[in-house]
């Protein structure tokens, strides 16, 4: 039987609404069949079942799940394909070997389904799996297949511009150091900072070289009393940022452009982050910095097709809004309801500065504290962010908790719940396990911060998932496609004449996404932008 005959025979079964199809990582299989005109439904996905129950405990690959829950070690793929440059592709594997591997995959997946299906109800995550995980599969698959158009020439020009800027920074860094050296060498940089300039606190690793990671350089850059070493560390951080943008994006993205479509097709991992956030790989389009000018410029290379526009819709301060809800902070709730500038209001409350006398610097400090507190920032971390003395930063945090006592209460209650139950929960019922919450030492601090942040970041992730799941039906009659999700932002490609309709429709879906599952006292607000490229739209 040839491929076309096999697909024709399978199509009625795979699309039959009365027959449940079971898979592991169904998005992969869904896309393969969708390219041949088959849309699988209904289905269950054992990877997503595991994710709904076990987020934070382990990963959700089939081999690991098989060993952990079935006590069976599957045939390793490397035994069939080999590894390295001589590795085969699966179509080159002898059929009798491929059959054993594929049949075992199917058997293990069915057994995992039989194990997990009854446990969903006991773990009280059936609704999460059925409303937030499984329905996202076809939505993401369609987005990945659509891809986004990327202009290779723009990327090439940026690579050259970044190379020139890096060369200028290298000259500046060598001038500050008073000698030529390889800026890309952590060993040489460490010797200049800690031996030549005698910066205190240098630590040597096993190789005998000083540690010069980003955290070390940020500490030095933040300590302006050090003078020249502080400036030197900041320039090296700038150089490293450009180097990363060049290698990761402006150079590498050119190789990711599909020659047949002229578009980049990222892959989304539904079960990649413990909190429900999506992860993007091959290439990762979620980590393009938006705060730096260079990062924004990279977005110029992502363009709309002829006669089309890119439209960006972005939740405004969604995590702060959810914090106001879960921590029940009346002042923050009211400010969001009144449409007040939340950072200016926080600054006014903390520093006793009337709103009409607010300066950009005071607002910037309040913004750093607002967002820092969500992530459990310490006085040390805030001092580094704002480049101020540690005691002053700690005083800011102490004042913040005095002004908004509900936040401290939320943090303590969430930590206590995690210690007692071993997990935390979002407003939508998503469970994020916290296995290290009762550890001692450095791990405990990290686990505590993660537990405090998870219900907030997780609820924001749940909201945008709910919006994405409803979006295809809402925009079905419009000449538009949803292309990308980047944390709190959705990016669409739409015919020029339909831009206003798309914005109105998508905005309504996004702003009403929590209902009817959850009622928020705080309104969700979505900002919209459009342009010929992603930078203009954002």
């Amino acid at each position: 039987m040839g491929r076309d005959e096999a697909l024709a025979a399978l199509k009625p079964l795979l699309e039959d609404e009365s027959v449940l199809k079971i898979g592991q990582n169904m998005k992969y299989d869904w896309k393969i069949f969708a390219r041949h005109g088959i849309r699988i439904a209904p289905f269950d996905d054992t990877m997503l079942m595991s994710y709904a129950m076990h987020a934070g405990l382990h990963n959700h690959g089939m081999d690991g799940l098989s060993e952990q829950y079935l006590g069976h070690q599957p045939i390793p793929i490397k035994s069939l394909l080999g590894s390295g440059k001589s590795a085969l592709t699966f179509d080159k594997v002898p059929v009798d070997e491929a059959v054993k591997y594929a049949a075992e995959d199917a058997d293990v997946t069915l057994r995992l389904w039989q194990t997990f299906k009854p446990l969903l109800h006991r773990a009280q995550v059936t609704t999460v799996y059925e409303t937030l995980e499984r329905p996202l599969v076809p939505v993401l698959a369609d987005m990945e297949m659509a891809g986004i158009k990327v202009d290779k020439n723009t990327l090439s020009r940026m690579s050259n511009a970044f190379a020139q800027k890096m060369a200028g920074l290298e000259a500046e860094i060598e001038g500050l150091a008073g000698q030529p050296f390889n800026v890309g060498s952590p060993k040489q940089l460490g010797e200049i900072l800690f031996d030549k300039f005698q910066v205190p606190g240098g630590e040597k690793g096993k190789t005998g070289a000083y540690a010069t990671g980003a955290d070390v350089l940020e500490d030095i850059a933040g300590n302006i009393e050090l003078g020249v070493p502080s400036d030197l560390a900041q320039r090296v951080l700038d150089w490293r940022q450009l180097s990363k943008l060049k290698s990761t994006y402006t150079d590498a993205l050119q190789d990711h452009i599909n020659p047949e479509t002229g578009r980049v097709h990222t892959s989304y991992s539904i079960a990649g982050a413990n909190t429900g956030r999506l992860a993007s790989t091959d290439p990762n389009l979620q980590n393009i910095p938006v705060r730096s000018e260079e990062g924004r410029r990279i977005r110029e290379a992502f363009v709309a097709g002829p006669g089309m526009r890119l439209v960006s819709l972005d939740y405004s301060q969604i995590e702060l809004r959810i914090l106001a809800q879960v921590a029940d902070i009346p002042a923050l709730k009211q400010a969001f309801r009144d449409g007040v500038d939340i950072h200016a209001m926080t600054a006014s409350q903390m520093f006793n500065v009337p709103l009409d006398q607010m300066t950009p610097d005071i607002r910037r400090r309040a913004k750093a504290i607002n967002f820092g507190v969500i992530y459990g920032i310490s006085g040390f971390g805030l001092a580094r962010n704002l480049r101020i003395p540690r005691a002053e930063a700690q005083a800011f945090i102490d004042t913040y908790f005095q002004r908004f006592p509900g936040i401290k209460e939320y943090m303590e209650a969430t930590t206590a719940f995690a210690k007692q139950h071993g997990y935390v929960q979002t407003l939508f019922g998503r469970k994020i396990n916290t296995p290290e919450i009762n550890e001692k030492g450095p791990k405990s601090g990290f686990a505590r911060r993660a537990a405090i942040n998870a219900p907030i970041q997780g609820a924001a992730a749940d909201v945008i998932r709910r919006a994405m799941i409803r979006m295809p039906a809402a925009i079905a009659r419009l000449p538009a496609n949803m292309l990308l999700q980047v944390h709190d932002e959705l990016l669409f490609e739409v015919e020029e004449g339909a831009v206003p309709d798309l914005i109105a429709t998508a905005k309504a879906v996004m702003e009403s996404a929590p209902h009817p599952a959850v009622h928020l006292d705080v309104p969700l607000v979505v900002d919209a932008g459009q342009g010929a490229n992603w930078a203009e739209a954002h």
Side-chain angles (χ1 to χ4, degrees), residues 378-438:
S378 63
F380 183 73
L382 186 63
R384 192 163 66 191
N385 286 1
L386 293 177
R387 300 186 74 173
I388 58 174
R390 192 169 169 180
E392 190 179 337
Q394 189 58 53
F396 284 170
I397 292 174
D398 294 342
T399 304
Y400 191 90
F401 286 137
Q402 286 167 13
R403 296 288 191 203
F404 306 111
I407 294 176
K408 191 83 167 173
E409 288 163 18
Y410 159 76
M411 289 177 162
E412 288 167 357
T414 304
T415 306
F417 183 93
K419 286 183 173 179
Q420 184 181 346
H421 297 93
Y423 67 87
V424 291
Q425 241 175 332
T426 71
L427 292 165
F428 298 87
R430 177 183 300 283
K431 284 186 178 177
I432 300 114
N433 293 284
T434 55
E436 294 180 335
I437 193 71
N438 289 310

Side-chain angles (χ1 to χ4, degrees), residues 120-139:
L120 286 172
H121 180 66
R122 283 182 225 166
Q124 297 181 313
V125 292
T126 304
T127 302
V128 169
Y129 168 70
E130 292 186 349
T131 64
L132 292 172
E133 318 290 17
R134 187 176 58 188
L136 203 56
V137 169
V139 177

Side-chain angles (χ1 to χ4, degrees), residues 13 54 98 107 236 287 291 366 398 415 512:
L13 178 69
H54 309 133
D107 179 56
V236 172
N287 282 0
R291 290 190 180 90
D398 294 342
T415 306
S512 65

Side-chain angles (χ1 to χ4, degrees), residues 149-163 245-246 249-254 257 262 293-304 532-536:
K149 191 173 170 62
V150 174
D151 187 328
K152 196 169 188 174
N153 293 333
T154 302
L155 288 174
S156 183
R157 285 197 302 274
M158 283 183 195
S159 277
N160 293 335
F162 285 169
L245 289 176
K246 184 176 183 297
Y249 294 109
T250 57
D251 291 350
L253 269 176
Q254 295 181 54
I257 298 171
E293 182 194 339
E294 290 80 13
R296 284 193 292 273
R297 283 186 60 203
I298 288 170
R299 293 183 173 214
E300 291 174 14
F302 293 78
V303 296
N533 62 56
W534 192 6
E536 285 180 12

Side-chain angles (χ1 to χ4, degrees), residues 21-75:
K21 276 66 69 172
I22 296 163
Q24 161 79 17
N25 188 16
M26 276 295 292
K27 181 159 63 68
Y28 180 83
D29 308 79
W30 203 96
K31 280 166 65 178
I32 287 171
F33 283 110
R35 289 191 187 106
H36 294 283
I38 298 170
R39 291 177 80 86
I40 301 176
F43 62 83
D44 263 339
D45 188 328
T46 50
M47 180 183 80
L48 299 184
M49 288 178 166
S50 175
Y51 180 58
M53 292 187 288
H54 309 133
L57 295 180
H58 51 67
N59 68 28
H60 312 282
M62 192 200 76
D63 289 7
L65 294 178
S66 176
E67 288 183 47
Q68 184 155 353
Y69 296 98
L70 306 176
H72 171 75
Q73 186 172 1
I75 300 165

Side-chain angles (χ1 to χ4, degrees), residues 517-530:
V518 168
H519 171 73
L520 295 181
D521 300 330
V522 177
L524 294 183
V525 173
V526 172
D527 298 324
Q530 58 151 313

